Coordinates of all heavy atoms in Angstrom, one line a residue:
M194 N 117.8 152.1 -4.1 CA 116.6 151.8 -3.2 C 115.4 151.9 -3.9 O 114.4 151.1 -3.6 CB 116.7 152.7 -2.0 CG 115.7 152.3 -0.9 SD 116.0 150.8 -0.3 CE 114.6 150.6 0.9
K195 N 115.2 152.8 -4.7 CA 113.8 153.1 -5.4 C 113.6 152.0 -6.5 O 112.4 151.6 -6.5 CB 113.8 154.5 -6.1 CG 113.9 155.6 -5.1 CD 113.7 156.9 -5.8 CE 113.8 158.0 -4.9 NZ 113.7 159.4 -5.6
L196 N 114.7 151.5 -7.0 CA 114.3 150.5 -8.1 C 113.8 149.2 -7.6 O 112.8 148.6 -8.1 CB 115.7 150.3 -8.9 CG 115.5 149.3 -10.1 CD1 114.5 149.8 -11.1 CD2 116.8 149.1 -10.8
P197 N 114.5 148.6 -6.6 CA 114.0 147.4 -6.0 C 112.6 147.5 -5.4 O 111.7 146.6 -5.6 CB 115.0 147.1 -4.8 CG 116.2 147.8 -5.1 CD 115.8 148.9 -5.9
L198 N 112.2 148.6 -4.8 CA 110.9 148.9 -4.3 C 109.9 149.0 -5.5 O 108.8 148.3 -5.4 CB 110.8 150.3 -3.6 CG 109.5 150.5 -2.8 CD1 109.1 149.4 -1.9 CD2 109.5 151.9 -2.1
L199 N 110.2 149.7 -6.5 CA 109.4 149.7 -7.7 C 109.1 148.3 -8.3 O 108.1 148.0 -8.6 CB 110.0 150.7 -8.8 CG 109.2 150.9 -10.0 CD1 107.9 151.5 -9.7 CD2 110.0 151.7 -10.9
L200 N 110.2 147.6 -8.4 CA 110.1 146.2 -8.9 C 109.2 145.3 -8.0 O 108.4 144.6 -8.6 CB 111.5 145.6 -9.2 CG 112.3 146.1 -10.3 CD1 113.7 145.5 -10.3 CD2 111.6 146.0 -11.6
A201 N 109.4 145.5 -6.8 CA 108.5 144.6 -5.8 C 107.0 145.0 -6.0 O 106.2 144.2 -6.0 CB 109.1 144.9 -4.5
L202 N 106.8 146.3 -6.2 CA 105.4 146.8 -6.3 C 104.8 146.3 -7.6 O 103.6 145.9 -7.7 CB 105.3 148.3 -6.2 CG 105.5 148.9 -4.8 CD1 105.5 150.4 -4.9 CD2 104.4 148.4 -3.8
L203 N 105.5 146.4 -8.6 CA 105.1 145.9 -10.1 C 104.8 144.4 -9.9 O 103.9 144.0 -10.5 CB 106.1 146.2 -11.0 CG 106.2 147.7 -11.4 CD1 107.3 148.0 -12.5 CD2 104.8 148.3 -12.0
S204 N 105.8 143.7 -9.3 CA 105.6 142.2 -9.2 C 104.3 141.9 -8.4 O 103.5 141.0 -8.7 CB 106.8 141.6 -8.5 OG 106.5 140.3 -8.3
L205 N 104.0 142.6 -7.4 CA 102.9 142.4 -6.4 C 101.6 142.8 -7.3 O 100.6 142.0 -7.3 CB 103.0 143.3 -5.2 CG 101.7 143.2 -4.3 CD1 101.6 141.8 -3.7 CD2 101.8 144.1 -3.2
A206 N 101.7 143.8 -8.0 CA 100.5 144.2 -8.9 C 100.1 143.2 -9.9 O 99.0 142.8 -10.2 CB 100.6 145.5 -9.5
A207 N 101.2 142.6 -10.6 CA 101.1 141.7 -11.6 C 100.5 140.4 -11.0 O 99.6 139.6 -11.6 CB 102.3 141.3 -12.2
T208 N 101.0 140.0 -9.7 CA 100.4 138.8 -9.1 C 99.0 138.9 -8.8 O 98.2 138.0 -9.0 CB 101.3 138.5 -7.8 OG1 102.6 138.3 -8.3 CG2 100.8 137.2 -7.2
V209 N 98.6 140.0 -8.1 CA 97.2 140.3 -7.8 C 96.2 140.3 -9.0 O 95.3 139.7 -9.0 CB 97.1 141.5 -7.0 CG1 95.6 141.9 -6.7 CG2 97.8 141.4 -5.6
R210 N 96.7 140.9 -10.1 CA 95.9 141.0 -11.3 C 95.8 139.6 -12.0 O 94.8 139.4 -12.6 CB 96.6 142.0 -12.2 CG 95.8 142.4 -13.4 CD 95.6 143.9 -13.5 NE 95.1 144.4 -14.7 CZ 93.9 144.5 -14.9 NH1 93.0 144.2 -13.9 NH2 93.4 144.9 -16.1
S211 N 96.8 138.7 -11.9 CA 96.7 137.5 -12.5 C 95.8 136.5 -11.8 O 95.5 135.5 -12.5 CB 98.1 136.9 -12.7 OG 98.6 136.5 -11.4
Q212 N 95.4 136.7 -10.7 CA 94.4 135.7 -10.1 C 93.0 136.0 -10.6 O 92.6 137.1 -10.6 CB 94.5 135.9 -8.6 CG 95.9 135.7 -8.0 CD 95.8 135.3 -6.5 OE1 94.8 135.2 -6.0 NE2 97.1 135.1 -6.0
D213 N 92.5 134.9 -11.0 CA 91.1 134.9 -11.6 C 90.0 134.5 -10.7 O 89.5 133.2 -10.7 CB 91.2 134.1 -12.8 CG 89.8 134.2 -13.7 OD1 89.0 135.2 -13.6 OD2 89.4 133.3 -14.4
A214 N 89.7 135.3 -9.7 CA 88.6 135.0 -8.8 C 87.1 135.1 -9.4 O 87.0 136.1 -10.2 CB 88.7 136.0 -7.6
P215 N 86.3 134.1 -9.2 CA 85.0 134.3 -9.8 C 84.1 135.4 -9.2 O 84.3 135.8 -8.0 CB 84.4 132.9 -9.4 CG 85.1 132.4 -8.2 CD 86.5 132.9 -8.3
Q216 N 83.3 135.9 -10.1 CA 82.4 136.9 -9.5 C 81.1 136.3 -9.2 O 80.4 135.7 -10.1 CB 82.2 138.1 -10.7 CG 83.5 138.8 -11.0 CD 84.0 139.5 -9.8 OE1 83.2 140.2 -9.1 NE2 85.2 139.6 -9.5
F217 N 80.7 136.3 -7.9 CA 79.4 135.7 -7.5 C 78.2 136.5 -7.8 O 78.3 137.7 -7.6 CB 79.6 135.3 -6.1 CG 80.4 134.1 -5.8 CD1 81.8 134.2 -5.8 CD2 79.9 132.8 -5.7 CE1 82.7 133.1 -5.6 CE2 80.8 131.7 -5.4 CZ 82.1 131.9 -5.5
A218 N 77.1 135.9 -8.1 CA 75.8 136.6 -8.2 C 74.8 135.8 -7.5 O 75.0 134.7 -7.1 CB 75.5 136.8 -9.6
K219 N 73.6 136.5 -7.1 CA 72.6 135.9 -6.4 C 71.6 135.2 -7.4 O 71.1 136.0 -8.3 CB 71.9 136.9 -5.5 CG 71.0 136.3 -4.5 CD 70.3 137.4 -3.6 CE 71.3 137.7 -2.6 NZ 70.8 138.5 -1.5
Y220 N 71.3 133.9 -7.1 CA 70.3 133.2 -7.9 C 69.1 132.7 -7.1 O 69.4 132.2 -5.9 CB 71.0 132.1 -8.7 CG 71.9 132.6 -9.7 CD1 73.3 132.6 -9.4 CD2 71.6 133.1 -11.0 CE1 74.3 133.2 -10.2 CE2 72.6 133.5 -11.8 CZ 73.9 133.6 -11.4 OH 74.8 134.1 -12.4
Q221 N 68.0 132.7 -7.5 CA 66.8 132.2 -6.8 C 66.6 130.7 -7.0 O 66.9 130.2 -8.1 CB 65.5 132.9 -7.2 CG 64.2 132.5 -6.4 CD 63.0 133.3 -6.7 OE1 63.1 134.2 -7.5 NE2 62.0 132.9 -6.0
V222 N 66.3 129.9 -6.0 CA 66.2 128.5 -6.0 C 64.7 128.2 -6.3 O 63.9 128.1 -5.3 CB 66.6 127.9 -4.7 CG1 66.5 126.3 -4.7 CG2 68.0 128.2 -4.3
S223 N 64.3 128.1 -7.5 CA 63.1 127.5 -8.0 C 61.8 128.1 -7.3 O 61.0 127.3 -6.9 CB 63.0 126.1 -8.0 OG 64.1 125.6 -9.0
G224 N 61.7 129.4 -7.1 CA 60.5 129.9 -6.4 C 60.3 129.6 -5.0 O 59.2 129.8 -4.5
T225 N 61.3 129.2 -4.3 CA 61.2 128.8 -2.9 C 61.4 130.0 -1.9 O 61.1 130.0 -0.7 CB 62.3 127.8 -2.5 OG1 63.6 128.3 -2.7 CG2 62.2 126.5 -3.3
G226 N 61.8 131.1 -2.4 CA 62.2 132.3 -1.6 C 63.6 132.2 -1.1 O 64.1 133.2 -0.5
C227 N 64.3 131.1 -1.4 CA 65.8 131.0 -1.0 C 66.6 131.5 -2.2 O 66.4 131.2 -3.3 CB 66.0 129.5 -0.8 SG 67.7 129.1 -0.3
H228 N 67.8 132.1 -1.8 CA 68.7 132.6 -2.8 C 70.1 132.1 -2.5 O 70.4 131.8 -1.3 CB 68.7 134.1 -2.8 CG 67.5 134.7 -3.4 ND1 66.4 134.9 -2.6 CD2 67.2 135.2 -4.6 CE1 65.5 135.5 -3.2 NE2 65.9 135.7 -4.5
V229 N 70.8 131.8 -3.5 CA 72.2 131.4 -3.4 C 73.1 132.2 -4.1 O 72.8 132.8 -5.2 CB 72.4 129.8 -3.7 CG1 71.7 129.0 -2.8 CG2 72.1 129.6 -5.2
D230 N 74.4 132.4 -3.8 CA 75.4 133.0 -4.4 C 76.4 132.0 -5.2 O 77.0 131.3 -4.5 CB 76.3 133.9 -3.5 CG 75.5 135.0 -2.9 OD1 74.6 135.6 -3.6 OD2 75.8 135.5 -1.8
L231 N 76.4 132.2 -6.4 CA 77.2 131.3 -7.3 C 78.0 132.1 -8.3 O 77.5 133.2 -8.7 CB 76.3 130.3 -8.0 CG 75.6 129.2 -7.1 CD1 74.5 128.4 -7.8 CD2 76.6 128.4 -6.4
P232 N 79.0 131.5 -8.8 CA 79.8 132.1 -9.9 C 79.1 132.2 -11.3 O 79.7 132.8 -12.1 CB 81.1 131.5 -9.8 CG 80.8 130.2 -9.4 CD 79.7 130.2 -8.4
G233 N 78.1 131.5 -11.5 CA 77.4 131.4 -12.7 C 75.9 130.9 -12.5 O 75.6 130.5 -11.5
N234 N 75.1 131.0 -13.6 CA 73.8 130.7 -13.5 C 73.7 129.2 -13.5 O 74.2 128.5 -14.4 CB 73.1 131.2 -14.8 CG 71.6 131.0 -14.7 OD1 71.0 130.2 -13.8 ND2 70.8 131.8 -15.5
P235 N 73.1 128.5 -12.4 CA 73.0 127.2 -12.3 C 71.9 126.5 -13.2 O 71.7 125.2 -13.4 CB 72.6 126.9 -10.8 CG 71.9 128.1 -10.5 CD 72.6 129.2 -11.2
G236 N 71.1 127.4 -13.9 CA 70.0 126.9 -14.6 C 68.8 126.5 -13.8 O 68.6 127.0 -12.8
E237 N 68.1 125.5 -14.2 CA 67.0 125.0 -13.4 C 67.4 124.1 -12.3 O 68.3 123.1 -12.7 CB 66.0 124.3 -14.4 CG 64.7 124.0 -13.7 CD 63.9 125.2 -13.5 OE1 64.0 126.2 -14.3 OE2 63.1 125.2 -12.6
F238 N 67.0 124.2 -11.1 CA 67.3 123.3 -10.1 C 66.5 122.0 -10.1 O 65.4 122.0 -10.4 CB 67.1 124.0 -8.7 CG 68.1 125.0 -8.3 CD1 68.0 126.2 -8.7 CD2 69.1 124.6 -7.4 CE1 68.9 127.3 -8.5 CE2 70.0 125.6 -7.0 CZ 69.9 126.8 -7.6
E239 N 67.1 120.9 -9.9 CA 66.5 119.6 -9.9 C 65.7 119.3 -8.6 O 66.3 119.6 -7.6 CB 67.6 118.6 -10.1 CG 67.0 117.1 -10.2 CD 68.2 116.1 -10.2 OE1 69.2 116.4 -10.9 OE2 67.9 115.1 -9.7
L240 N 64.5 119.1 -8.6 CA 63.6 118.8 -7.6 C 63.4 117.4 -7.3 O 63.1 116.6 -8.3 CB 62.3 119.5 -7.8 CG 61.2 119.2 -6.7 CD1 61.6 119.8 -5.4 CD2 59.8 119.8 -7.2
S241 N 63.5 116.9 -6.1 CA 63.2 115.5 -5.7 C 62.4 115.7 -4.3 O 62.6 116.7 -3.7 CB 64.4 114.6 -5.7 OG 65.4 115.1 -4.8
L242 N 61.9 114.5 -4.0 CA 61.1 114.6 -2.6 C 62.0 113.6 -1.7 O 62.3 112.4 -2.1 CB 59.7 114.1 -2.7 CG 58.8 115.1 -3.6 CD1 57.5 114.6 -3.7 CD2 58.9 116.4 -2.8
S243 N 62.0 113.9 -0.4 CA 62.6 113.0 0.5 C 61.6 111.9 1.0 O 60.4 112.0 0.6 CB 63.2 113.8 1.7 OG 62.2 114.3 2.4
E244 N 62.0 111.1 1.9 CA 61.1 110.1 2.5 C 59.8 110.7 3.1 O 58.7 110.1 3.3 CB 61.7 109.2 3.4 CG 62.8 108.3 2.7 CD 63.5 107.4 3.6 OE1 63.2 107.4 4.8 OE2 64.5 106.7 3.1
D245 N 60.1 111.9 3.8 CA 58.9 112.6 4.6 C 58.3 113.7 3.7 O 57.6 114.6 4.2 CB 59.5 113.2 5.8 CG 60.5 114.3 5.6 OD1 61.0 114.4 4.6 OD2 60.8 115.0 6.7
S246 N 58.5 113.7 2.3 CA 57.9 114.6 1.5 C 58.5 116.0 1.5 O 57.8 116.9 0.9 CB 56.4 114.6 1.6 OG 55.9 113.4 1.3
S247 N 59.7 116.2 2.1 CA 60.3 117.4 2.0 C 60.9 117.6 0.5 O 61.3 116.7 0.0 CB 61.5 117.5 3.0 OG 60.9 117.5 4.3
E248 N 60.9 118.8 0.1 CA 61.4 119.1 -1.2 C 62.9 119.4 -1.2 O 63.4 120.2 -0.3 CB 60.6 120.4 -1.8 CG 59.2 120.1 -2.0 CD 58.6 121.5 -2.4 OE1 59.2 122.5 -2.5 OE2 57.4 121.4 -2.8
I249 N 63.6 118.7 -2.1 CA 65.1 118.8 -2.2 C 65.4 119.3 -3.5 O 65.1 118.8 -4.6 CB 65.7 117.4 -1.9 CG1 65.4 116.9 -0.6 CG2 67.3 117.6 -2.0 CD1 65.8 115.4 -0.4
Y250 N 66.1 120.5 -3.5 CA 66.5 121.2 -4.7 C 68.0 121.0 -4.9 O 68.9 121.4 -3.9 CB 66.1 122.7 -4.7 CG 64.6 122.9 -4.6 CD1 63.9 122.9 -3.4 CD2 63.9 123.0 -5.9 CE1 62.6 123.2 -3.5 CE2 62.6 123.2 -5.8 CZ 61.9 123.2 -4.5 OH 60.5 123.5 -4.6
I251 N 68.5 120.6 -6.1 CA 69.9 120.4 -6.2 C 70.3 121.2 -7.6 O 69.6 121.0 -8.6 CB 70.3 118.9 -6.5 CG1 69.8 118.2 -5.3 CG2 71.8 118.8 -6.8 CD1 70.1 116.7 -5.3
G252 N 71.4 122.0 -7.5 CA 71.9 122.8 -8.6 C 73.4 122.8 -8.6 O 74.0 122.7 -7.5
E253 N 73.9 122.9 -9.7 CA 75.4 123.0 -9.7 C 75.9 123.9 -11.0 O 75.2 124.0 -11.9 CB 76.1 121.7 -9.8 CG 75.8 120.8 -10.9 CD 76.4 119.4 -10.8 OE1 76.6 119.0 -9.7 OE2 76.5 118.8 -11.9
V254 N 77.1 124.5 -10.8 CA 77.6 125.3 -11.9 C 79.2 125.1 -11.7 O 79.7 124.9 -10.7 CB 77.3 126.7 -11.8 CG1 77.7 127.5 -10.5 CG2 77.8 127.5 -13.0
S255 N 79.9 125.1 -12.9 CA 81.4 124.9 -12.8 C 82.0 126.2 -13.2 O 81.5 127.0 -14.0 CB 81.8 123.7 -13.7 OG 81.4 124.0 -15.1
H256 N 83.2 126.4 -12.8 CA 83.9 127.6 -13.0 C 85.4 127.2 -12.9 O 85.9 126.8 -12.0 CB 83.8 128.8 -12.0 CG 84.5 129.9 -12.2 ND1 84.2 130.9 -13.2 CD2 85.8 130.4 -11.6 CE1 85.2 131.9 -13.1 NE2 86.1 131.6 -12.2
K257 N 85.9 127.3 -14.1 CA 87.4 126.9 -14.4 C 87.4 125.3 -13.9 O 86.7 124.5 -14.4 CB 88.4 127.6 -13.6 CG 88.2 129.1 -14.0 CD 89.3 129.5 -14.9 CE 89.2 131.0 -15.3 NZ 90.1 131.3 -16.3
D258 N 88.3 125.0 -13.0 CA 88.4 123.6 -12.5 C 87.6 123.3 -11.3 O 87.8 122.2 -10.8 CB 90.0 123.3 -12.3 CG 90.8 123.4 -13.5 OD1 90.2 123.2 -14.5 OD2 92.0 123.7 -13.4
Y259 N 86.7 124.2 -10.9 CA 86.0 124.0 -9.7 C 84.5 123.8 -10.0 O 83.9 124.3 -11.0 CB 86.1 125.2 -8.7 CG 87.5 125.4 -8.3 CD1 88.3 126.4 -9.0 CD2 88.0 124.7 -7.3 CE1 89.6 126.6 -8.6 CE2 89.4 124.8 -6.9 CZ 90.2 125.9 -7.5 OH 91.5 126.0 -7.1
L260 N 83.8 122.9 -9.1 CA 82.4 122.6 -9.3 C 81.8 123.3 -8.0 O 82.1 122.8 -6.8 CB 82.1 121.2 -9.4 CG 80.7 120.8 -9.6 CD1 80.1 121.3 -10.8 CD2 80.5 119.2 -9.5
F261 N 80.8 124.2 -8.2 CA 80.0 124.7 -7.0 C 78.6 124.0 -7.0 O 77.8 124.1 -8.1 CB 79.9 126.2 -7.2 CG 81.2 126.9 -7.1 CD1 82.0 127.1 -8.3 CD2 81.7 127.5 -5.9 CE1 83.1 127.7 -8.2 CE2 82.9 128.1 -5.9 CZ 83.6 128.2 -7.0
A262 N 78.2 123.4 -6.0 CA 76.9 122.7 -5.9 C 76.2 123.3 -4.7 O 76.6 123.6 -3.7 CB 77.2 121.2 -5.7
V263 N 74.8 123.1 -4.9 CA 73.9 123.6 -3.9 C 72.8 122.5 -3.6 O 72.4 121.9 -4.5 CB 73.1 124.9 -4.2 CG1 72.1 125.3 -3.2 CG2 74.2 125.9 -4.5
I264 N 72.7 122.2 -2.3 CA 71.5 121.3 -2.0 C 70.7 122.2 -0.9 O 71.2 122.5 0.1 CB 72.1 119.9 -1.3 CG1 73.0 119.3 -2.3 CG2 70.8 119.2 -0.8 CD1 73.5 117.9 -1.7
A265 N 69.5 122.4 -1.4 CA 68.6 123.2 -0.5 C 67.4 122.3 -0.2 O 66.7 121.7 -1.1 CB 68.1 124.5 -1.3
V266 N 66.9 122.3 1.1 CA 65.8 121.6 1.4 C 64.8 122.3 2.0 O 65.1 123.3 2.8 CB 66.3 120.5 2.6 CG1 65.1 119.6 3.0 CG2 67.4 119.6 2.0
K267 N 63.5 122.2 1.5 CA 62.4 122.9 2.0 C 61.6 121.9 2.9 O 61.0 120.9 2.3 CB 61.5 123.4 0.9 CG 60.3 124.2 1.4 CD 59.5 124.8 0.1 CE 58.4 125.7 0.6 NZ 57.7 126.1 -0.5
F268 N 61.7 122.0 4.2 CA 61.2 121.1 5.1 C 59.6 121.1 5.1 O 59.0 122.1 5.0 CB 61.5 121.2 6.5 CG 63.1 121.0 6.7 CD1 64.0 122.0 6.8 CD2 63.6 119.6 6.6 CE1 65.3 121.7 6.9 CE2 65.0 119.4 6.8 CZ 65.8 120.5 6.9
K269 N 59.1 119.8 5.1 CA 57.6 119.8 5.2 C 57.0 120.3 6.4 O 57.6 120.0 7.6 CB 57.2 118.3 4.9 CG 55.7 118.1 4.7 CD 55.3 116.8 4.4 CE 53.8 116.6 4.4 NZ 53.4 115.3 4.1

C-alpha cells in the first residue's frame, strides 16, 4: 500500500514541477500612470492617436508559444 502511494506522490510532484508557468511582473505604460502585468518586459509601448485624439498605447511580449498583448487607451 505504501509503494503505490509513494509512486503516485512522486508522479504528481514531477508533473507539477514540469509545468513552466510564466512569472508575471508589473510594467508601466509609457508614463500614463497605468501598469500591466506581463511575463516579460514589453519594451517601449507604441503610441498612436484615435480619431478623437485619445492616446492608444500598444505593447506585446512573447513567452514560449504564447503572445501577450496590451492595448491601453487614455481617453481625451
Side-chain angles (χ1 to χ4, degrees):
M194 180 66 183
K195 290 181 182 179
L196 183 61
L198 181 59
L199 179 62
L200 289 175
L202 288 176
L203 287 175
S204 175
L205 178 63
T208 303
V209 170
R210 187 128 171 93
S211 68
Q212 298 203 4
D213 186 24
Q216 297 296 316
F217 286 80
K219 187 177 286 193
Y220 297 95
Q221 185 172 359
V222 180
S223 299
T225 61
C227 179
H228 292 84
V229 295
D230 291 329
L231 293 170
N234 190 345
E237 194 66 31
F238 282 82
E239 181 182 326
L240 172 64
S241 60
L242 296 175
S243 69
E244 293 176 3
D245 67 349
S246 298
S247 295
E248 298 175 354
I249 302 171
Y250 295 90
I251 300 172
E253 62 184 25
V254 63
S255 61
H256 176 76
K257 302 262 178 185
D258 294 333
Y259 298 99
L260 180 65
F261 296 84
V263 174
I264 300 174
V266 179
K267 184 175 180 183
F268 293 105
K269 182 176 179 183

